[in-house]
Amino acid sequence: MLETHLDSPVTRRRLRTGPAADHIDAFTDWLHLHGYKPVSIDLLLRSLAGWTDWLLTRGFTAQDLLPGFEACKLAIKEEQRVRYSRGPNHNSVKAAGVFIRFLQHQGKLPLPVTPASASELWPVLGQFRAWMLQHRGLTETTLDVYQGVLVGLLETIGDDARAYSTEALRAFVFDRARPHGIQRAKSIVVAVRSFVRFLGVTGRCPPGMEYAIPGFASWQLSSVPRFLVAEDVERVIGSCADYVFESRDRAVILLLARLGLRASEVAQLRFADIDWRSGSIAVCGKGRRQESLPLPQEVGDAILLYLNKGRPPLRVPELFISALAPFRPLTRAAVTHIVRSALRRAGIKAPINGAHVLRHSAATSMLRQGASLAGVGAVLRHRDPMTTAHYAKVDFDLLLEIAQPWPGVSSC
């Protein structure tokens, strides 16, 4: 009921006499059910009243909510509003948007027309995605990256694979890669080659055309790992203290910093992945490979604290969810945002402004504490030992483990 969540009798009267009156009680209960805090519900309802007042003055009725919503957005964009005056503002538009979504969720208003997806516009992309999932074991995250490149390919040279030429494919790769660095350029080549290989295997174009797409040269192990020193990692973890979302963010950052998990792996973590009896955690990494890692005491304690005191009661299998309503499982981007916020609070200028800097930092920290390259590779779940060898460059003593003697000369 409206009276339960809104103290102002004036605002209640405005809402009960406006175009939203028939649904305002159900809307208020819906906000409470979806985890909105009392202060957020109060602000939303006050802002919504500004919108319904505007609808009345402009002649919109309860049957004109969608046109009224669009008209109000346009009016706020075009009209100069006097500060502190009564009337709709950007908060009113946000509140009205939540109210519109509620009515659509309840079937009172038609759902918005969503633009056609890439797979609907180009069915071959959907078929390629299913083929890669089945035969190559790629993750959805990787295929999303591929799709961004392939949409550009189809927009540029069309979707008739029989008309593809090696010249057109090479020209697209060069043009697409020109503004980017070497790593992004290499990922563009991989995406296009994979797609053209799929077209050849399925008989849509002559087989072998993928070999006409050139690669971009880069020396193996030529770069230096970008990481944070141990003191800075502890500052990032410590920045969660007294923060409003302390328990969740600290658990997330510890998983990244102590176990070297990727952002997507933290976001996908489920209750069933943690074995409290054996003190282990199951991680689904690249190639959808399920692997088990030990769960350190510090990390386990942080997760338990979050579950007991910080996690809202949302019935989903995912471990980490958003801290503000509407509640939903965290995404990879949300995990990255958590790390960026922690870096900012700690006052650290990181070489990588995202979650992956903690994975690099975990690897270099383990090596400096005496772990072997093979042990670090096992924790980070590297398939190629040379990937782990990349981290040995942070300590010249560790380079002796992989250095090869010059032919004809005894080793140092």
Side-chain angles (χ1 to χ4, degrees):
M1 290 290 291
L2 182 62
E3 284 73 16
T4 307
H5 301 283
L6 183 62
D7 294 332
S8 171
V10 175
T11 307
R12 291 201 301 263
R13 184 174 64 253
R14 291 162 60 196
L15 288 170
R16 291 205 178 280
T17 57
D22 292 342
H23 308 287
I24 196 63
D25 285 323
F27 175 59
T28 307
D29 293 338
W30 182 83
L31 291 174
H32 176 70
L33 181 65
H34 281 74
Y36 285 82
K37 299 183 183 299
V39 64
S40 299
I41 296 176
D42 183 85
L43 177 61
L44 268 170
L45 294 175
R46 290 175 184 272
S47 300
L48 186 66
W51 177 62
T52 56
D53 289 347
W54 184 89
L55 292 179
L56 283 175
T57 60
R58 299 302 176 94
F60 291 99
T61 67
Q63 285 71 43
D64 306 319
L65 292 177
L66 282 176
F69 178 55
E70 298 299 328
C72 186
K73 287 197 296 184
L74 184 61
I76 289 175
K77 183 183 295 186
E78 295 180 348
E79 297 174 7
Q80 187 70 27
R81 182 175 178 272
V82 179
R83 195 176 185 185
Y84 302 121
S85 63
R86 173 173 285 188
N89 53 27
H90 292 289
N91 287 334
S92 303
V93 170
K94 290 180 181 178
V98 176
F99 181 67
I100 293 294
R101 288 196 297 273
F102 158 73
L103 293 178
Q104 291 170 338
H105 181 268
Q106 298 296 315
K108 305 296 183 181
L109 288 177
L111 293 171
V113 178
T114 56
S117 66
S119 297
E120 292 172 336
L121 291 174
W122 296 287
V124 67
L125 287 183
Q127 296 160 8
F128 168 72
R129 193 181 193 96
W131 190 83
M132 293 295 285
L133 285 169
Q134 179 181 356
H135 298 286
R136 293 292 183 267
L138 269 67
T139 63
E140 294 286 354
T141 300
T142 302
L143 290 173
D144 288 341
V145 175
Y146 283 13
Q147 183 163 288
V149 176
L150 299 179
V151 166
L153 175 68
L154 296 178
E155 289 176 340
T156 302
I157 65 177
D159 59 354
D160 185 5
R162 293 170 297 181
Y164 286 1
S165 65
T166 55
E167 292 79 8
L169 292 170
R170 284 197 294 263
F172 169 79
V173 169
F174 286 138
D175 289 342
R176 184 83 177 197
R178 187 172 291 114
H180 303 289
I182 185 65
Q183 296 303 321
R184 176 58 178 162
K186 290 172 69 175
S187 70
I188 292 171
V189 169
V190 171
V192 176
R193 280 180 178 171
S194 299
F195 182 61
V196 175
R197 184 178 295 112
F198 157 76
L199 296 176
V201 168
T202 56
R204 291 174 169 84
C205 75
M209 287 187 68
E210 67 271 15
Y211 298 114
I213 302 171
F216 290 89
S218 63
W219 294 106
Q220 191 175 30
L221 305 180
S222 61
S223 61
V224 176
R226 296 180 289 174
F227 63 97
L228 300 178
V229 297
E231 293 78 8
D232 285 346
V233 172
E234 297 306 316
R235 285 171 57 193
V236 172
I237 297 171
S239 71
C240 298
D242 300 323
Y243 182 54
V244 62
F245 309 130
E246 175 182 353
S247 62
R248 184 201 64 180
D249 288 12
R250 187 170 185 274
V252 166
I253 290 174
L254 282 173
L255 283 166
L256 297 166
R258 301 296 191 239
L259 293 177
L261 300 189
R262 302 176 180 90
S264 58
E265 293 166 349
V266 173
Q268 296 167 5
L269 198 62
R270 301 187 171 205
F271 286 98
D273 295 331
I274 302 179
D275 188 339
W276 296 104
R277 288 184 178 274
S278 64
S280 63
I281 182 171
V283 179
C284 183
K286 287 187 175 181
R288 294 183 288 175
R289 291 177 297 147
Q290 284 279 355
E291 297 178 84
S292 181
L293 294 176
L295 183 64
Q297 185 70 43
E298 180 188 20
V299 181
D301 289 343
I303 293 175
L304 284 175
L305 181 64
Y306 168 64
L307 295 179
N308 291 329
K309 296 185 177 180
R311 189 182 189 276
L314 183 66
R315 294 179 178 273
V316 294
E318 286 79 11
L319 187 66
F320 295 106
I321 62 175
S322 58
L324 296 176
F327 298 130
R328 55 190 178 273
L330 288 186
T331 62
R332 179 186 55 161
V335 173
T336 297
H337 177 74
I338 288 173
V339 177
R340 288 176 178 172
S341 297
L343 289 168
R344 185 170 58 251
R345 291 195 304 270
I348 295 173
K349 183 67 174 178
I352 305 174
N353 191 26
H356 220 65
V357 72
L358 295 179
R359 180 174 171 87
H360 292 329
S361 303
T364 55
S365 177
M366 285 185 281
L367 285 171
R368 286 179 166 175
Q369 291 174 14
S372 66
L373 287 172
V376 174
V379 174
L380 297 186
R381 292 154 287 123
H382 288 154
R383 284 183 286 185
D384 186 352
M386 292 303 293
T387 304
T388 313
H390 177 68
Y391 294 101
K393 288 187 288 185
V394 301
D395 193 324
F396 285 110
D397 292 336
L398 293 171
L399 289 175
L400 295 176
E401 294 189 24
I402 59 172
Q404 299 295 315
W406 191 262
V409 179
S410 59
S411 178
C412 299

